[in-house]
Amino acid sequence: NNNFFGRSAGINNTCGFNNNFLGKFAGVSNTYGCDNNFFGRCAGNNNTIGCDNNFFGQCAGYNNTCGCDNNFFGRYAGRDNTDGSYNTFIGLLAGRSNTTGDNNIFLGKYAGRYNTSSNNIAIGECASRADAGTGFNVSIGSSAGCSNTGCCNVIIGNLAKEQGAAGDQNVYVGERAGRCDTGTQNVFLGSQAGERSITSYGTIAIGYQAGFDNSTGGFDNVFIGRKSGQINNGSYNIFLGTYSGASSSGDRNIALGAHAGRSITGDYN
């Protein structure tokens, strides 16, 4: 019940059944694998016992040996996968370096290109491109989480957390939100919110350019409003309102209202 078309396609198959291989060297190493569809030159080249896989594109799933229930569509998609299972990679080089990671979804050119972990979702060109962390990340948007190596992050928006590598349990939503951030347990919501934040921890910034330049750290701040806490060097501050605490330094300050404490300095104000 096999269909092999192309030079050496399925040539080493012994007991595998219900396979469809089309292309030069497609499924050339398959021995016991069943219910596979490999279409394209060298697609599923090293597959031996993997079952229920669909590899479409030149060298898609090339190194897969025993991984099962994978869907790789695109040139070099899932190329280095060996025994990772239940993955869906669609796009040029999508999930190319994934070896043993399971339950990943990468959609877009270079999405999850260097991923080695499990339980990730990356949608968009270069989304989670460098992700070699411990998994459980969601990146949606062009270059969203492109350099991310942390875990348990939600990154939504073009260039959101594009340059920041480390950092866990963060939420970035908006174009360029948290673009450079490497901190932990932050929430940046809004276009360019926390864009230049570097090592912030436990900060909430909501609004256009809220907490934009938190470059020297800053812990447990709350900035709500357009450009609130835009340039901030302190910790434990609460700024609510447009431009509130827009250029501030010091700790444990509270500013409520539009332009309140716009240039605040010192502590306990």
Side-chain angles (χ1 to χ4, degrees), residues 1-6 9-23 26-39 43-44 47-56 64-65 67-70:
N1 297 320
N2 296 297
N3 296 295
F4 303 148
F5 299 93
I11 193 172
N12 292 308
N13 189 76
T14 54
C15 299
F17 56 87
N18 292 335
N19 295 296
N20 297 293
F21 302 157
L22 175 63
V28 67
S29 301
N30 192 77
T31 53
Y32 290 88
C34 302
D35 298 294
N36 295 296
N37 295 295
F38 303 153
F39 288 63
N47 190 79
T48 54
I49 60 174
C51 297
D52 299 295
N53 295 295
N54 296 297
F55 303 153
F56 289 75
N64 190 78
T65 53
C68 297
D69 295 285
N70 294 297

Side-chain angles (χ1 to χ4, degrees), residues 2-265:
N2 296 297
N3 296 295
F4 303 148
F5 299 93
R7 179 182 173 186
S8 298
I11 193 172
N12 292 308
N13 189 76
T14 54
C15 299
F17 56 87
N18 292 335
N19 295 296
N20 297 293
F21 302 157
L22 175 63
K24 182 180 179 181
F25 300 127
V28 67
S29 301
N30 192 77
T31 53
Y32 290 88
C34 302
D35 298 294
N36 295 296
N37 295 295
F38 303 153
F39 288 63
R41 181 164 64 89
C42 295
N45 186 89
N46 293 327
N47 190 79
T48 54
I49 60 174
C51 297
D52 299 295
N53 295 295
N54 296 297
F55 303 153
F56 289 75
Q58 179 183 340
C59 293
Y62 181 93
N63 287 315
N64 190 78
T65 53
C66 52
C68 297
D69 295 285
N70 294 297
N71 296 290
F72 303 154
F73 295 83
R75 184 157 57 97
Y76 297 110
R79 181 187 186 279
D80 294 335
N81 191 79
T82 54
D83 59 354
S85 299
Y86 311 107
N87 297 294
T88 297
F89 304 152
I90 300 177
L92 174 66
L93 294 170
R96 181 191 187 280
S97 298
N98 188 77
T99 52
T100 61
D102 302 323
N103 305 308
N104 295 297
I105 297 175
F106 301 144
L107 309 181
K109 183 172 71 172
Y110 303 129
R113 164 69 171 80
Y114 295 102
N115 179 75
T116 57
S117 61
S118 300
N119 303 298
N120 299 289
I121 297 174
I123 301 175
E125 180 180 357
C126 292
S128 287
R129 180 177 182 270
D131 193 344
T134 54
F136 300 97
N137 294 295
V138 176
S139 300
I140 300 175
S142 178
S143 294
C146 183
S147 301
N148 178 58
T149 60
C151 79
C152 308
N153 296 295
V154 176
I155 307 166
I156 301 175
N158 295 336
L159 302 175
K161 193 172 169 63
E162 181 230 359
Q163 298 177 11
D168 305 324
Q169 301 171 336
N170 297 290
V171 176
Y172 308 118
V173 179
E175 181 187 11
R176 289 155 51 181
R179 186 177 187 182
C180 303
D181 190 49
T182 59
T184 296
Q185 297 175 342
N186 297 298
V187 177
F188 297 147
L189 306 181
S191 177
Q192 301 176 41
E195 178 176 353
R196 294 183 184 173
S197 177
I198 303 297
T199 56
S200 181
Y201 291 86
T203 289
I204 298 173
I206 301 175
Y208 172 71
Q209 289 193 354
F212 175 80
D213 191 349
N214 204 24
S215 58
T216 58
F219 309 131
D220 299 305
N221 293 297
V222 176
F223 307 139
I224 300 178
R226 183 164 62 92
K227 296 191 176 184
S228 59
Q230 183 183 27
I231 301 174
N232 174 70
N233 296 318
S235 299
Y236 314 110
N237 297 296
I238 298 175
F239 301 145
L240 307 181
T242 299
Y243 285 99
S244 60
S247 180
S248 60
S249 62
D251 304 328
R252 296 175 173 85
N253 296 297
I254 297 175
L256 306 179
H259 300 272
R262 182 166 181 172
S263 300
I264 197 170
T265 60

